[in-house]
Amino acid sequence: MTPKSGILLLLSCVSAIAAVGCVFELSSGQPELGSTITTAILLGSIPLTAIFFWIAVQDTRANMK
């Protein structure tokens, strides 16, 4: 694993944690940042998690050869 892969995995974890936090905030009924902003963060963090993870895996595979 390269430093680039590690940073991408870190970003993937952070965005996944943000998504889970948004789900809990929205399920509570009264999100601190408001429903619109919390929903926007949730909708942005889900694809970012997948994208960062995919790029990290591709980078690691490319550097194994």
Side-chain angles (χ1 to χ4, degrees):
M1 180 164 62
T2 64
K4 178 182 173 184
S5 298
I7 291 171
L8 287 166
L9 286 175
L10 173 69
L11 292 173
S12 178
C13 290
V14 169
S15 61
I17 291 168
V20 170
C22 287
V23 169
F24 279 111
E25 282 286 318
L26 289 170
S27 67
S28 74
Q30 296 291 329
E32 287 187 26
L33 298 175
S35 295
T36 305
I37 295 174
T38 305
T39 302
I41 294 169
L42 175 63
L43 293 176
S45 63
I46 291 173
L48 281 178
T49 301
I51 291 168
F52 287 145
F53 183 77
W54 179 256
I55 295 171
V57 169
Q58 293 302 315
D59 183 60
T60 301
R61 284 184 180 171
N63 290 311
M64 287 179 62
K65 295 178 181 178

